[in-house]
Amino acid sequence: MSTGGSRGIRTSQDYVRRAGAAARIMLLQAAANEWKVPVGELTVSNGVISHAASSRTISYGKVLPRRPSSMRPTPKSITLKDPKSWTIAGKPVKRSTHADKLNGSKVYAIDVNLPGMLCARSRIARSTAASSRAMTNPRSPAAPV
């Protein structure tokens, strides 16, 4: 999986979706086993598994520890949701953290300037055979850089 900027999910979408679908199958099966009902009678909404006929519900978080570790779906048994039925992915989300980034008022670490602060940069050797040596800062000769 790539986490480069905003491409993380875009470039890894297929296997992230398959992992999520596999987890959903295992959690539904665990609930069905506990309630002794067919998986097909269960529905999921907002992380809550429901069985309409018995009015029982259980959250993903509560059913997770009850899932046997040996329960793993085969790749062929994993079916992905149709993107038209997505409730979170692909939907616009209001963000309250962007205004300062957009108007230039956000202060990043590179923007910090403290009294007496010195700036530094790393030097890269000109060849792979070169070795490093100590350098000193002319403004602070006692401190090697």
Side-chain angles (χ1 to χ4, degrees):
M1 176 169 184
S2 164
T3 58
S6 61
R7 295 175 302 199
I9 293 298
R10 289 181 194 152
T11 60
S12 310
Q13 187 184 117
D14 185 60
Y15 57 88
V16 170
R17 287 183 65 205
R18 289 187 181 285
R24 183 179 63 246
I25 290 167
M26 291 186 283
L27 295 169
L28 284 169
Q29 187 62 59
N33 292 351
E34 184 172 320
W35 294 335
K36 297 179 180 29
V37 298
V39 174
E41 292 181 9
L42 302 179
T43 58
V44 178
S45 179
N46 296 324
V48 176
I49 301 169
S50 302
H51 183 246
S54 64
S55 299
R56 288 182 282 194
T57 62
I58 190 168
S59 71
Y60 277 167
K62 287 187 179 170
V63 80
L64 180 63
R66 301 170 187 169
R67 178 195 63 81
S69 59
S70 62
M71 185 189 301
R72 288 196 176 90
T74 61
K76 289 183 180 179
S77 69
I78 297 173
T79 55
L80 301 177
K81 283 184 182 179
D82 182 339
K84 291 175 187 163
S85 68
W86 291 353
T87 56
I88 299 173
K91 306 295 184 213
V93 177
K94 286 194 176 214
R95 301 220 173 147
S96 60
T97 60
H98 287 283
D100 56 351
K101 292 177 186 175
L102 296 172
N103 67 22
S105 65
K106 177 109 175 130
V107 178
Y108 295 92
I110 197 168
D111 300 322
V112 174
N113 192 1
L114 301 173
M117 186 169 94
L118 299 175
C119 295
R121 69 180 179 98
S122 58
R123 283 191 75 178
I124 299 171
R126 293 190 175 139
S127 76
T128 56
S131 62
S132 62
R133 61 181 171 82
M135 296 186 313
T136 57
N137 181 339
R139 287 177 42 195
S140 178
V145 179

